[in-house]
Amino acid sequence: MDKPLYVAIRERLEQAIVSGEWPPGRRLPSEKELAAEYGCARMTVSKAVTALADAGLVTRRRRAGTVVAEPRPRESLLQIHDIPTEVRAAGRAYGFEVLDRAERKATAADAGRIGLKPGQPVLALTVLHRADGTPFALEERLISLRAVPDARAEAFDAEPPGSWLQARLPWTDAEHHILALNADARVAARLEVDPGAACLCDDRRSWHGGTVVTHVRLTYPGDRRLVARFHAPGSRGKT
Amino acid sequence: MDKPLYVAIRERLEQAIVSGEWPPGRRLPSEKELAAEYGCARMTVSKAVTALADAGLVTRRRRAGTVVAEPRPRESLLQIHDIPTEVRAAGRAYGFEVLDRAERKATAADAGRIGLKPGQPVLALTVLHRADGTPFALEERLISLRAVPDARAEAFDAEPPGSWLQARLPWTDAEHHILALNADARVAARLEVDPGAACLCDDRRSWHGGTVVTHVRLTYPGDRRLVARFHAPGSRGKT
DNA sequence: CAGTGGTCTAGACCACGAA
DNA sequence: TCGTGGTCTAGACCACTGG
């Protein structure tokens, strides 16, 4: 695996948190205990736990120790952005259907969207996400089959492509372009909104290491909110 | 100031970079040199420079050293989001006008927006930003006068309030809520778009340390894009 | 090859704040 | 009070890569 020890420690802790094994409020072992557990210096675990705190997964206070943070509000977090998780977190039933699927060589238009050279094999998918049966988001995705050859054989019947991809090839970098559009007839029909209604588009490109993996355009009804939080580098931040 | 040494070092380097004193491509002193310069251990400067690299201000390569990064593309970066900078970076002439200004006790509606208790003194501003004379964004801002008493005496004739605030009380945390709206008559008139046109709203709340400083709603014509980039914690990332 | 950043160690002192 | 995290040291070895 070859990854730095502090990354491995961070991932193990992260896994315990996101899987729910350690629920919000659960206290983590102290740095000293973690150092003993992993047989390393305290600074190494400190680096791992500090990264979790920067990511907002845990809260650290002197004497009180490090505890798993309450999950942030119900809105879509731009950083995470797994639609099934988002819908279920709002207490709604999640469903999806693959409306269209095509495997092809990237056209010039595709190439511009995904950031690959024309001619590279891609998988194009259109997916509708639903919450309590109501259209929630329309997803138009391109997957680089060079980066993810397994996608060719995947039916995407158990999991939508975003979640499937995240499990196999988690992104290391993502770029979102966000814009507002008036719904055209096609989008209005899919999302069951009035033609001309303002919709929010999130064009997202994801990399794994230096490789472009996927491009997705998510179109939401306009009253949906995207939420992004930023923490100025090096500052201690708010409570 | 009592701030940690690695923060002080990061800020000094950051200052040299954002001020343009060290232009893109300029090589920074090596960690060893910086450690000698500041009279501290190499790990301390390493922490500072690593933070700059995480923020994308510099790129680091073994043997080649650390160099000031090329500034990222021309679109609004959600993390930075200074409108004059954004407009000028696109090679357009920037202008703004304060359309409305009122000092008042926070109403219940204000309180919800800015995250303060009702009755706290706030300054409410409406500002129109222009690029080459064309409306670029409509800004509706609340400033906490408890956090920024100087704002009461400021005319905002040289600088728009966003830039002015950033210079006095830089945010340490920011939360953006992004949504799409159909322009109502008032917004359409201000932005000179058709009524009903899709507009992009960025509702932003900013903190300095634990204190709410300001809330701003920026409304853009829908074809404007907001761009956000994320780097997964602990990963090495793309080129 | 040699210099750079990347990681890690085994200590240390201190400030904070819950008990 | 006293355990916790926050910071810092003065070394170390290694991987990578430009010259």
Side-chain angles (χ1 to χ4, degrees), chain B residues 201-237:
Chain B
C201 283
D202 180 3
D203 279 343
R204 175 175 173 174
R205 201 180 287 182
S206 305
W207 288 262
H208 180 85
T211 313
V212 175
V213 172
T214 190
H215 173 280
V216 59
R217 164 170 284 198
L218 291 163
T219 306
Y220 298 90
D223 55 349
R224 175 141 321 287
R225 282 152 179 271
L226 295 179
V227 177
R229 293 194 184 77
F230 299 102
H231 184 64
S235 63
R236 276 189 219 78

Coordinates of all heavy atoms in Angstrom, one line a residue, chain B residues 201-237:
Chain B
C201 N -27.8 32.8 -7.1 CA -27.7 33.6 -5.9 C -26.6 32.8 -5.0 O -26.7 31.6 -4.9 CB -29.0 33.6 -5.1 SG -30.1 34.7 -5.7
D202 N -25.8 33.6 -4.5 CA -24.8 33.1 -3.5 C -25.0 33.8 -2.2 O -24.7 35.0 -2.1 CB -23.4 33.3 -4.0 CG -22.3 32.8 -3.1 OD1 -22.7 32.2 -2.1 OD2 -21.1 33.0 -3.4
D203 N -25.6 33.1 -1.3 CA -25.8 33.6 0.1 C -24.6 33.2 0.9 O -24.4 32.0 1.1 CB -27.1 33.0 0.7 CG -28.3 33.7 0.3 OD1 -28.3 34.8 -0.2 OD2 -29.4 33.1 0.5
R204 N -23.9 34.2 1.4 CA -22.7 33.9 2.1 C -22.6 34.5 3.4 O -22.9 35.7 3.6 CB -21.5 34.4 1.3 CG -20.2 34.3 1.9 CD -19.1 34.7 1.0 NE -17.8 34.7 1.8 CZ -16.6 35.0 1.2 NH1 -16.6 35.2 -0.1 NH2 -15.6 34.9 1.9
R205 N -22.3 33.7 4.4 CA -22.1 34.2 5.8 C -20.6 34.0 6.1 O -20.0 32.9 5.8 CB -23.0 33.3 6.7 CG -23.3 33.9 8.0 CD -24.1 33.0 8.8 NE -25.5 32.9 8.3 CZ -26.4 32.2 8.9 NH1 -26.2 31.5 10.0 NH2 -27.7 32.2 8.4
S206 N -20.0 35.0 6.7 CA -18.6 34.9 7.1 C -18.4 35.1 8.5 O -19.0 36.0 9.2 CB -17.9 36.0 6.3 OG -18.1 35.9 4.9
W207 N -17.4 34.4 9.0 CA -17.0 34.5 10.4 C -15.5 35.0 10.5 O -14.7 34.7 9.6 CB -17.1 33.2 11.1 CG -18.4 32.7 11.4 CD1 -19.1 32.7 12.6 CD2 -19.3 31.9 10.5 NE1 -20.3 32.1 12.5 CE2 -20.5 31.6 11.2 CE3 -19.2 31.5 9.2 CZ2 -21.5 30.9 10.7 CZ3 -20.2 30.8 8.6 CH2 -21.4 30.5 9.4
H208 N -15.3 35.7 11.6 CA -13.9 35.9 11.9 C -13.7 35.3 13.3 O -14.2 35.8 14.3 CB -13.6 37.4 11.9 CG -12.1 37.7 12.3 ND1 -11.1 37.7 11.3 CD2 -11.5 38.0 13.4 CE1 -10.0 38.0 11.9 NE2 -10.2 38.2 13.2
G209 N -12.9 34.2 13.4 CA -12.9 33.5 14.6 C -14.3 33.0 14.9 O -14.9 32.4 14.0
G210 N -14.8 33.2 16.1 CA -16.1 32.6 16.4 C -17.2 33.6 16.1 O -18.4 33.3 16.3
T211 N -16.9 34.8 15.5 CA -17.9 35.9 15.4 C -18.4 36.0 14.0 O -17.7 36.1 13.1 CB -17.2 37.2 15.8 OG1 -16.5 37.0 17.0 CG2 -18.2 38.3 16.0
V212 N -19.7 36.1 13.9 CA -20.3 36.4 12.6 C -20.0 37.8 12.2 O -20.2 38.8 13.0 CB -21.8 36.2 12.6 CG1 -22.4 36.7 11.3 CG2 -22.2 34.8 12.9
V213 N -19.5 38.0 11.1 CA -19.1 39.4 10.6 C -20.1 39.9 9.6 O -20.6 41.1 9.8 CB -17.7 39.4 10.0 CG1 -17.4 40.7 9.3 CG2 -16.7 39.0 11.0
T214 N -20.5 39.2 8.7 CA -21.4 39.7 7.6 C -22.1 38.6 6.9 O -21.7 37.4 7.0 CB -20.5 40.5 6.6 OG1 -21.3 41.2 5.7 CG2 -19.6 39.5 5.8
H215 N -23.2 39.0 6.4 CA -24.0 38.1 5.5 C -24.2 38.9 4.2 O -24.5 40.1 4.2 CB -25.3 37.8 6.0 CG -26.2 37.0 5.1 ND1 -26.9 37.6 4.1 CD2 -26.4 35.7 4.9 CE1 -27.5 36.7 3.4 NE2 -27.2 35.5 3.9
V216 N -24.0 38.2 3.1 CA -24.2 38.9 1.8 C -24.9 37.9 0.8 O -24.7 36.7 0.8 CB -22.9 39.4 1.2 CG1 -21.9 38.2 1.0 CG2 -23.1 40.1 -0.1
R217 N -25.9 38.5 0.1 CA -26.5 37.8 -1.0 C -26.0 38.4 -2.3 O -26.3 39.6 -2.5 CB -28.0 37.8 -0.9 CG -28.6 37.4 -2.3 CD -30.1 37.1 -2.2 NE -30.4 35.8 -1.6 CZ -31.5 35.2 -1.7 NH1 -32.5 35.7 -2.4 NH2 -31.7 34.0 -1.1
L218 N -25.3 37.7 -3.1 CA -24.9 38.1 -4.4 C -25.7 37.5 -5.4 O -25.9 36.2 -5.5 CB -23.4 37.7 -4.6 CG -22.4 38.5 -3.7 CD1 -21.1 37.8 -3.7 CD2 -22.3 39.9 -4.2
T219 N -26.4 38.3 -6.3 CA -27.2 37.8 -7.3 C -26.5 38.1 -8.7 O -26.2 39.2 -9.0 CB -28.6 38.4 -7.3 OG1 -29.1 38.2 -6.0 CG2 -29.5 37.8 -8.3
Y220 N -26.3 37.0 -9.4 CA -25.6 37.1 -10.7 C -26.6 36.8 -11.9 O -27.4 35.9 -11.7 CB -24.5 36.2 -10.8 CG -23.4 36.3 -9.9 CD1 -23.4 35.7 -8.6 CD2 -22.3 37.1 -10.2 CE1 -22.3 35.8 -7.7 CE2 -21.2 37.2 -9.3 CZ -21.3 36.6 -8.1 OH -20.2 36.7 -7.2
P221 N -26.4 37.3 -13.0 CA -27.1 36.8 -14.2 C -26.7 35.3 -14.3 O -25.6 34.9 -14.0 CB -26.5 37.6 -15.4 CG -26.0 38.9 -14.7 CD -25.6 38.5 -13.4
G222 N -27.6 34.5 -14.8 CA -27.5 33.0 -14.7 C -26.3 32.5 -15.5 O -25.9 31.4 -15.2
D223 N -25.8 33.2 -16.5 CA -24.8 32.6 -17.3 C -23.4 32.8 -16.6 O -22.4 32.3 -17.1 CB -24.7 33.3 -18.7 CG -24.6 34.8 -18.6 OD1 -24.8 35.3 -17.5 OD2 -24.4 35.4 -19.7
R224 N -23.4 33.5 -15.5 CA -22.2 33.6 -14.7 C -21.9 32.3 -14.0 O -22.8 31.6 -13.7 CB -22.3 34.7 -13.7 CG -21.1 34.8 -12.8 CD -20.7 36.3 -12.5 NE -20.9 37.0 -13.7 CZ -20.0 37.0 -14.7 NH1 -19.0 36.2 -14.6 NH2 -20.3 37.7 -15.8
R225 N -20.7 31.9 -13.9 CA -20.3 30.7 -13.2 C -19.6 30.9 -11.9 O -18.8 31.8 -11.8 CB -19.4 29.8 -14.1 CG -20.1 29.2 -15.2 CD -19.2 29.0 -16.4 NE -20.0 28.3 -17.4 CZ -20.0 26.9 -17.5 NH1 -19.4 26.2 -16.7 NH2 -20.7 26.4 -18.5
L226 N -19.9 30.1 -11.0 CA -19.1 30.1 -9.7 C -18.3 28.8 -9.8 O -18.8 27.8 -10.3 CB -20.0 30.0 -8.5 CG -20.9 31.3 -8.3 CD1 -21.8 31.1 -7.1 CD2 -20.0 32.5 -8.1
V227 N -17.1 28.9 -9.4 CA -16.2 27.8 -9.5 C -15.7 27.5 -8.1 O -15.3 28.4 -7.3 CB -15.0 28.1 -10.4 CG1 -14.1 26.9 -10.4 CG2 -15.5 28.4 -11.8
A228 N -15.7 26.2 -7.7 CA -15.1 25.8 -6.5 C -14.3 24.6 -6.7 O -14.6 23.7 -7.5 CB -16.3 25.4 -5.5
R229 N -13.2 24.5 -6.1 CA -12.3 23.4 -6.2 C -12.0 22.8 -4.9 O -11.9 23.4 -3.9 CB -10.9 23.8 -6.8 CG -11.1 24.3 -8.2 CD -9.7 24.4 -8.9 NE -9.9 24.9 -10.2 CZ -10.1 26.2 -10.5 NH1 -10.1 27.1 -9.5 NH2 -10.3 26.6 -11.7
F230 N -12.0 21.4 -4.9 CA -11.8 20.7 -3.6 C -10.7 19.7 -3.8 O -10.5 19.2 -4.9 CB -13.0 20.0 -3.2 CG -14.1 21.0 -2.9 CD1 -15.2 21.1 -3.8 CD2 -14.1 21.7 -1.8 CE1 -16.2 22.0 -3.6 CE2 -15.2 22.7 -1.5 CZ -16.2 22.8 -2.4
H231 N -10.0 19.6 -2.7 CA -8.9 18.6 -2.7 C -9.1 17.7 -1.6 O -9.3 18.1 -0.5 CB -7.6 19.4 -2.5 CG -6.4 18.5 -2.6 ND1 -6.0 17.9 -3.7 CD2 -5.4 18.2 -1.7 CE1 -4.9 17.2 -3.5 NE2 -4.5 17.4 -2.3
A232 N -9.2 16.4 -1.9 CA -9.6 15.4 -0.8 C -8.5 15.5 0.2 O -7.3 15.5 -0.1 CB -9.7 14.0 -1.4
P233 N -8.9 15.5 1.5 CA -7.9 15.6 2.6 C -6.9 14.4 2.5 O -7.3 13.3 2.4 CB -8.7 15.5 3.8 CG -10.0 15.0 3.4 CD -10.2 15.3 2.0
G234 N -5.6 14.8 2.6 CA -4.6 13.8 2.7 C -4.1 13.2 1.4 O -3.1 12.5 1.3
S235 N -4.8 13.5 0.3 CA -4.4 12.9 -1.0 C -3.3 13.8 -1.6 O -3.2 15.0 -1.3 CB -5.6 12.8 -1.9 OG -6.1 14.0 -2.2
R236 N -2.6 13.3 -2.6 CA -1.5 14.1 -3.2 C -2.0 14.9 -4.3 O -1.4 15.9 -4.7 CB -0.4 13.2 -3.6 CG 0.5 12.8 -2.5 CD 1.8 12.1 -2.9 NE 2.1 11.1 -2.0 CZ 1.5 9.9 -1.9 NH1 0.6 9.6 -2.7 NH2 1.9 9.1 -0.9
G237 N -3.1 14.5 -4.9 CA -3.8 15.4 -5.9 C -3.2 15.4 -7.3 O -2.2 14.7 -7.6

